[in-house]
Every structure is written in structure tokens, then in C-alpha cells.
Amino acid sequence: MIAIGSDHGGYELKEHLKKHFEETGVEFKDYGTFSEASVDYPDCAEPVCRAVLNGEAERGILICGTGIGISIAANKFDGIRAALCSDVYSALMAKQHNNANILCLGGRVTGRELAFMIADTWLGAEFLGGRHAARVEKIHNIEKMQ
Ligand code: RB5
């Protein structure tokens, strides 16, 4: 299951992405926001991060206006590797090399169809491990230092 969430800046893209996932058979759960009313992106990041960390969701997708604020917030959670992607190559690398467990998108900067391709690419990719695992481990070592 994919946990999906956004603030108001990402709400429209979230709704389109949900429709896309319904059409392509991707199981998801929407953690809000549920309208275009203004909300704070750190509050929207939290439930999706917690769902990924507690195993309720395999991966998460978070969307705000640029994808920047919600990715910064998500990356404050110990164990979250959130990757803001605006191209397909980065989406592939985000999983293969960085083992990103959350994909972030900018609802006001990335077109709908491109966002679908980015999400599909990331969802279809697997972590390559090996030397990349050692590097990801070093990220977790930084978390332990805090
Ligand atoms: C909200 O206006 C906007 O600041 C937010 O969606 C996001 O772009 C922040 O990084």
C-alpha cells in the first residue's frame, strides 16, 4: 500500500494521482489534506511518514506546491529518505541508489502527466543495494549522531 498526502498546494495533483492509481491498480491510502483549504505542510507530512515508518505503508508520496517544504519536513523523521523529484531519471535513481521511501512532488511545478511518469517509475524501481547500501547506512549514522 502507498501512503499519499499533500498540503493545499499539492491537493489538486494528489487527486489526479489517486485517479491515475485507481486506473493502474496501485493500492493507496489518502492521509489528507482533503480540500484546498490552507494547511501547514509539516502537519501533512507527519501521518504519511508515520505510516511508512510503522510499516502500514510500503512507501509514501508527499506533495506540496514545490515539493520542497514537505520533503524538508519528511526528512526530519528518523528513517525517512524523502526524494523530491521533477524528472524520471532522478525518480529511478532515488529508489535504485538512495532507497527513498518517500517520493515528493511539486504540485505547482510538475505537470500532471510527468508527475504520473515520475511516480510510476519510482514505484516500479527497486533498491540496488551493494555499495549504495553502505552509503545509505552512512545517512543513518548521521541520524544517530543527532
Ligand atoms: C503553500 O503555499 C506552499 O508554501 C507549500 O505548498 C510548499 O510549496 C512549501 O514548500
Side-chain angles (χ1 to χ4, degrees):
M1 188 272 282
I2 307 302
I4 184 165
S6 77
D7 74 352
H8 55 289
Y11 174 77
E12 187 180 347
L13 178 58
K14 174 167 69 69
E15 295 308 300
H16 288 299
L17 203 51
K18 282 163 56 182
K19 191 161 179 290
H20 174 69
F21 286 157
E22 278 160 7
E23 287 167 4
T24 55
V26 173
E27 193 191 345
F28 66 86
K29 181 174 170 186
D30 186 356
Y31 287 77
T33 190
F34 298 107
S35 79
E36 287 184 339
S38 184
V39 287
D40 298 333
Y41 54 80
D43 298 334
C44 306
E46 183 172 359
V48 168
C49 290
R50 294 209 183 282
V52 170
L53 290 171
N54 70 22
E56 189 181 331
E58 291 142 37
R59 302 185 190 198
I61 296 181
L62 286 170
I63 313 168
C64 68
T66 58
I68 295 171
I70 212 152
S71 62
I72 293 172
N75 277 312
K76 296 298 179 189
F77 287 82
D78 193 342
I80 291 297
R81 294 174 302 281
L84 170 57
C85 295
S86 55
D87 68 274
V88 169
Y89 178 78
S90 296
L92 182 63
M93 291 302 109
K95 178 46 77 176
Q96 287 190 341
H97 286 194
N98 313 117
N99 201 16
N101 48 13
I102 292 196
L103 171 70
C104 297
L105 296 165
R108 293 173 178 161
V109 293
T110 301
R112 188 185 309 169
E113 293 295 331
L114 176 57
F116 294 169
M117 289 180 70
I118 290 169
D120 291 347
T121 299
W122 179 71
L123 289 173
E126 292 299 335
F127 184 45
L128 294 178
R131 67 183 188 279
H132 305 295
R135 291 165 183 163
V136 170
E137 190 54 36
K138 287 193 176 191
I139 296 174
H140 291 297
N141 289 343
I142 296 170
E143 286 173 335
K144 285 176 212 149
M145 282 182 225
Q146 305 309 304

